[in-house]
Amino acid sequence: MFINALILSLAPIVLILLYIYLRDKYEKEPLRFCLFLTSMGMLSVIPVIIVEFNLMLINNSIRDPILSSFWEAFVVAGFTEELFKFLVLILFAFQSKHFNEPMDGIVYAVFVSLGFALVENVFYVFQDVNEYLTTGVVRAFTTVPAHAFFAIIMGFYLAKKKFYQKSLFPALLLPFIAHGIYDFILFASFGEESLLIFFPFYLTFLLIVSMRLIRKAILDSPFKN
């Protein structure tokens, strides 16, 4: 059971990383550097846990359930997690000599983000070993891809700053908003009504946006000719 749960935890991470790495068709990034970024993403879980713990203390004092869901979705989870992923990219990838085409931003962001998602996924799958199969399968098709979608948005706009001197602000703001909406749909309820009916549509929307950004980044590569 332990081995099966571990495989189920890691498989979606590995498959998405492999897909993104292979989509970088013109000039592959050094695999060692990518794995280093993944390890930094894994380590970012530590400050995230500390910050989220303290932010949840504030959340405990919020009486309105909608405001509480908003705080937990956008501030506790969305902003905190995307902020630390963003900081890893700024500290370790943005000035790298290997960052020489727009697709690199997406590759680096996904490797960082799925490093974070790897730790999170293992934690949730092993949290209840009797339900590991259900938890692992559901997360493989929802939460893990969502982390990749947020990262693709972040990496695309990080490259905009790197190569076109655009504002750096969207590289943090847009993933934060996308992540917050994702969690708010899961957390919020209005009496007996919830927002879960919108969940598959929102995931599909994120998938479409992400695929378009990847195609745009590939087309903008200076190495394609």
Side-chain angles (χ1 to χ4, degrees), residues 120-187:
E120 184 184 71
N121 212 39
V122 168
F123 172 79
Y124 279 106
V125 170
F126 279 89
Q127 195 171 32
D128 185 353
V129 292
N130 294 319
E131 297 292 332
Y132 82 89
L133 185 59
T134 300
T135 303
V137 170
V138 170
R139 290 182 60 85
F141 288 97
T142 56
T143 309
V144 174
H147 276 291
F149 299 152
F150 308 146
I152 289 166
I153 298 170
M154 182 179 290
F156 180 85
Y157 285 97
L158 191 70
K160 285 285 187 183
K161 171 62 177 177
K162 175 84 171 181
F163 299 107
Y164 306 109
Q165 297 304 308
K166 300 293 185 179
S167 172
L168 190 59
F169 193 52
L172 177 59
L173 177 65
L174 296 180
F176 149 59
I177 292 174
H179 193 151
I181 293 172
Y182 175 93
D183 282 343
F184 188 72
I185 290 173
L186 294 178
F187 298 161

Side-chain angles (χ1 to χ4, degrees), residues 80-126:
T80 305
E81 293 177 14
E82 298 309 318
L83 173 63
F84 281 97
K85 296 173 190 174
F86 177 79
L87 291 176
V88 170
L89 286 169
I90 294 298
L91 289 173
F92 299 106
F94 189 72
Q95 298 297 338
S96 171
K97 64 181 180 180
H98 304 297
F99 193 170
N100 54 13
E101 62 171 334
M103 185 61 189
D104 294 351
I106 291 177
V107 172
Y108 297 154
V110 172
F111 271 79
V112 169
S113 185
L114 291 195
F116 177 92
L118 187 154
V119 178
E120 184 184 71
N121 212 39
V122 168
F123 172 79
Y124 279 106
V125 170
F126 279 89

Side-chain angles (χ1 to χ4, degrees), residues 35-72:
L35 294 178
F36 166 75
L37 292 176
T38 301
S39 68
M40 291 300 101
M42 294 171 66
L43 289 175
S44 73
V45 171
I46 298 171
V48 166
I49 289 174
I50 295 170
V51 173
E52 287 187 340
F53 174 80
N54 286 281
L55 290 174
M56 281 302 293
L57 294 178
I58 298 174
N59 188 55
N60 293 338
S61 65
I62 301 176
R63 301 305 177 192
D64 184 277
I66 301 303
L67 288 178
S68 177
S69 296
F70 183 89
W71 178 266
E72 186 175 356

